[in-house]
Amino acid sequence: MHIDNRVTGETRFVGLIGNPVEHSISPQLHNTISSCLGVDLIYIPFKVEEAGLKDAVNGLKALNIKGFNVTTPYKKDIMKYIDENSKEALLMGAVNTVKNIDGRLYGYNTDAEGFSRAFKEEVGEGFKGKKIAIIGAGGAARAITVKIAIEGAAEISIINRTLQKAHDIAGIIENNYSMNVGCFGTDEGAAGDALRQADIIINTTSIGMYPNTNESPLKKGIKLSDSQIVYDIIYNPSVTKLLAGAQRYGAKAVNGLGMLFYQGIYAYEIWTGIKIPKDALKHINESFVN
Ligand code: ATR
C-alpha cells in the first residue's frame, strides 16, 4: 500500500458503485490504464447500500465525477437515475457504465461490447452465421444474447434452469431482430441436442466459479467436439470445470478475463474520449495481469 502522490488539485475521478465492491479488480485495471497513458484520472470503488443509491448518484454528480461503473446489484436499478440510456443498454436491460457531462448522465453497457471484442481477439472470428447456445438466462445472458443477435448470429438457443427466464430473453430478441430463439430447460433432452449442435457455447451462469470449482453447467454425458468453441464468462478460476472438459474434447476454450479487460477499456474510452492504441492495450494488459 502506498499513498499516491500523483493526486493533485487538478486530478479528476471516476469510480465504481455496487455492493460488494471489495473484490473488484476494476480499480486496478483503470488506475493501470491512467498510469500507462499518463492521464490524470483516478478510479475509486464505493460500496453503496440499496437505500443510498439515489443519494450516491446525486453525490457523485455534485462532486463532478467524470463517470462511473455500476456493478451488482444495481445494473438495472441505476437506469432510472440516468438521463439518457443507449439503445443497446435499454435492450439489454442493464447499464454498467455511466458518463457525466455537465450533470447529465448517459448510460451504456460495455459488458456485452467487451465480451464481443474479447471473443473476436481470442477466437479470431465473430458471431455472424453461427449457431450459438447460451447457458443461463440472467442479466449477463440477456446482454450477450442481444449483442450476438445484433452481430448476426444465425441460430440462438437459451438453456436455463428456469425456463420462463429463457423465454423472456427470447421475446426481446424475437421482437427486435425478427429471429427465433430456442428455449430449453436444463433437464430437457433437447437442451443436450442444442449444445452438441452449437458452433459456440457460452456459459453466462456462475456455476463453476470460485469457490465452487467442482461444478459444471454442462450435464454429464454431453459430448462436445473439436470444432466447437466454449466461452465461459467466469475468470476465477481461469480454467473452469466446463473449460477443462471442453479442452479434453479438443474444443477451443476461452475464459472471461478478456471480457473483463475490454469492458473496462470501453468504459475508459467512453469517459475520456481517448481511443487506446493497440500497443498501449498490450502494455496495459501485461501490467494489469502482473
Ligand atoms: P447475472 O446478472 O450475472 O447473469 P443472474 O441474473 O443472477 O446473474 O443470473 C444467473 C443465471 O445463472 C440464471 O439464469 C440462473 O438460473 P435461474 O434463472 O434458474 O435462477 C443461473 N444459475 C445460477 N446458479 C445456478 C445453478 N446452481 N444451477 C442452475 N442455474 C444457475
Side-chain angles (χ1 to χ4, degrees):
M1 185 66 194
H2 67 285
I3 304 290
D4 196 324
N5 59 11
R6 292 169 311 156
V7 175
T8 70
E10 295 197 358
T11 303
R12 294 291 306 272
F13 82 112
V14 286
L16 168 70
I17 59 175
N19 189 6
V21 294
E22 291 85 347
H23 66 284
S24 171
I25 54 178
S26 289
Q28 198 188 329
L29 172 61
H30 287 283
N31 290 320
T32 301
I33 302 173
S34 286
S35 298
C36 288
L37 300 180
V39 175
D40 195 6
L41 181 71
I42 58 168
Y43 186 104
I44 311 165
F46 298 102
K47 179 175 170 177
V48 175
E49 300 297 337
E50 197 175 341
L53 183 61
K54 187 177 180 189
D55 286 345
V57 172
N58 285 331
L60 291 172
K61 262 203 296 199
L63 295 170
N64 196 22
I65 196 165
K66 217 171 159 58
F68 55 95
N69 282 138
V70 183
T71 190
T72 316
Y74 304 130
K75 289 185 188 187
K76 205 184 269 281
D77 294 346
I78 193 71
M79 295 177 83
K80 55 177 176 280
Y81 304 117
I82 304 294
D83 297 296
E84 208 174 301
N85 288 299
S86 75
K87 185 172 172 263
E88 280 197 7
L90 286 171
L91 282 173
M92 292 169 184
V95 158
N96 79 318
T97 299
V98 180
K99 179 172 173 129
N100 175 23
I101 305 178
D102 301 327
R104 195 173 161 77
L105 300 183
Y106 296 82
Y108 304 87
N109 187 307
T110 70
D111 285 329
E113 196 75 32
F115 162 76
S116 166
R117 179 146 170 203
F119 186 95
K120 287 172 201 152
E121 292 262 308
E122 292 177 70
V123 175
E125 57 182 346
F127 309 108
K128 206 170 169 51
K130 302 291 184 193
K131 282 187 192 170
I132 304 179
I134 310 267
I135 307 173
R142 178 168 166 183
I144 286 174
T145 308
V146 168
K147 191 72 187 164
I148 62 176
I150 291 172
E151 296 195 0
E155 279 181 37
I156 302 177
S157 309
I158 304 175
I159 295 131
N160 195 46
R161 177 175 61 183
T162 311
L163 184 57
Q164 184 53 44
K165 283 167 78 177
H167 282 299
D168 293 344
I169 297 177
I172 295 163
I173 303 300
E174 286 164 2
N175 288 335
N176 290 280
Y177 301 101
S178 57
M179 66 184 295
N180 288 323
V181 174
C183 295
F184 308 100
T186 316
D187 293 327
E188 285 179 53
D193 296 336
L195 288 161
R196 275 187 291 268
Q197 287 159 16
D199 300 311
I200 301 167
I201 296 171
I202 304 165
N203 174 43
T204 69
T205 74
S206 54
I207 305 170
M209 187 160 80
Y210 178 84
N212 302 316
T213 53
N214 239 336
E215 296 174 6
S216 168
L218 217 56
K219 288 243 166 273
K220 274 203 179 77
I222 296 180
K223 293 192 170 62
L224 303 181
S225 82
D226 61 3
S227 63
Q228 291 182 294
I229 297 159
V230 180
Y231 193 104
D232 199 331
I233 70 166
I234 296 169
Y235 58 86
N236 182 17
S238 59
V239 184
T240 55
K241 191 168 178 197
L242 170 68
L243 293 184
Q247 282 168 343
R248 278 197 296 279
Y249 288 110
K252 183 159 180 65
V254 185
N255 72 26
L257 196 58
M259 174 178 176
L260 176 76
F261 180 73
Y262 280 112
Q263 64 74 29
I265 295 294
Y266 277 122
Y268 197 94
E269 291 183 344
I270 287 170
W271 294 327
T272 61
I274 296 170
K275 176 89 187 84
I276 304 175
K278 260 209 139 102
D279 55 339
L281 280 180
K282 193 163 172 275
H283 186 207
I284 292 161
N285 197 10
E286 284 162 6
S287 315
F288 168 58
V289 170
N290 294 319

